[in-house]
């Protein structure tokens, strides 16, 4: 059973999400929070698998709440998905850098919400190729200067190649086709790269690809 915590200051939004999620045989809503401070407290208390976290909330905003959750080693298994009203919310890139596994627009289709919850639990980043190119490409341009190349020194040439493809938004299946390998082999390369770089998930790998200078904004592959 996938346990979800809803964190949003709009009760109607929470009610709608709760009705949809609780109707699924493999998902249950473990708790609800109306502000970021309450969200962090409930995450520590309930240890949900996924937190659907609104970016803009009173008391403590979703961005800081996400930092506190992802920065707590005791909560390492908790995945945070940011909720935003606009697809290109200015805080989304910073949220992903802070450890969020991706984001959803609040008016997303019900099927997409359910797919998203299941996807992040499975370890996938909630960043579609199109959104990755548009969002990460735009905001990476405003981020800090690329880190030294030594940051990637532990990676093999193939792992660097795979990381670059992840950085431009390709799925494991697309990477497999590009490199003419099996999807399982592509997934293995991605997993090993994440372990070597200490990335929480695929979303963090995307950010590291840009911050290391391996991928430059505007390069679509």
């Amino acid at each position: 059973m996938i346990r979800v915590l809803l964190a949003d200051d709009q009760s109607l939004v929470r009610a709608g999400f709760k009705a949809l999620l609780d109707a699924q045989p493999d998902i249950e809503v473990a708790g609800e929070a109306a502000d970021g401070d309450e969200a962090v407290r409930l995450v520590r208390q309930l240890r949900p698998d996924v937190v659907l976290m609104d970016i803009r909330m009173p008391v403590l905003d979703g961005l800081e709440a996400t930092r506190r959750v992802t920065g707590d080693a005791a909560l390492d298994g908790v995945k945070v998905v940011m909720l935003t009203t606009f697809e290109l919310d200015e805080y989304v890139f910073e949220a992903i850098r802070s450890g969020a596994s991706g984001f959803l627009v609040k008016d997303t289709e019900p099927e997409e919400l359910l797919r998203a919850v299941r996807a992040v639990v499975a370890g996938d980043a909630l960043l579609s190729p199109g959104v990755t190119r548009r969002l990460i490409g735009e905001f990476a341009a405003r981020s800090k200067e690329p880190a030294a190349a030594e940051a990637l020194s532990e990676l093999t040439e193939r792992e660097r190649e795979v990381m670059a493809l992840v950085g431009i938004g390709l799925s494991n299946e697309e990477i497999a086709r590009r490199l003419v390998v099996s999807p399982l082999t592509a997934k293995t390369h991605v997993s090993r790269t994440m372990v070597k770089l200490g990335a929480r998930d695929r979303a963090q790998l995307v950010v590291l690809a840009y911050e290391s200078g391996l991928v430059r904004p505007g390069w679509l592959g």
Side-chain angles (χ1 to χ4, degrees), residues 119-135:
V120 294
V121 170
D124 296 329
L126 198 57
L127 293 168
S128 68
V131 169
T132 299
R133 295 186 181 101
R134 194 166 63 250
L135 177 75

Side-chain angles (χ1 to χ4, degrees), residues 26 67 71 84 99 148 158 186 199:
D26 60 333
R67 289 194 189 100
T84 178
R158 176 45 61 94

Side-chain angles (χ1 to χ4, degrees), residues 46-146:
L46 302 173
R47 304 296 174 92
D49 299 299
V50 181
V51 183
L52 295 181
M53 182 91 74
D54 188 20
I55 286 183
R56 295 179 176 85
M57 289 187 291
V59 184
L60 188 71
D61 65 39
L63 196 61
E64 180 58 30
T66 296
R67 289 194 189 100
R68 295 187 186 184
V69 170
T70 60
D72 188 337
L75 303 176
D76 190 53
V78 179
K79 304 294 187 181
V80 178
V81 175
M82 305 304 298
L83 298 172
T84 178
T85 304
F86 303 104
E87 198 168 61
L88 289 181
D89 192 296
E90 63 185 272
Y91 298 113
V92 169
F93 180 68
E94 186 61 33
I96 295 172
R97 287 182 60 189
S98 299
S101 294
F103 77 99
L104 280 174
V105 180
K106 284 188 178 181
D107 62 356
T108 189
E109 293 295 324
E111 295 78 9
E112 179 65 16
L113 173 66
L114 297 174
R115 186 199 68 78
V117 169
R118 295 177 178 122
V120 294
V121 170
D124 296 329
L126 198 57
L127 293 168
S128 68
V131 169
T132 299
R133 295 186 181 101
R134 194 166 63 250
L135 177 75
I136 303 298
E138 178 175 346
F139 291 107
R142 306 180 193 179
S143 69
K144 63 185 181 182
E145 289 299 309

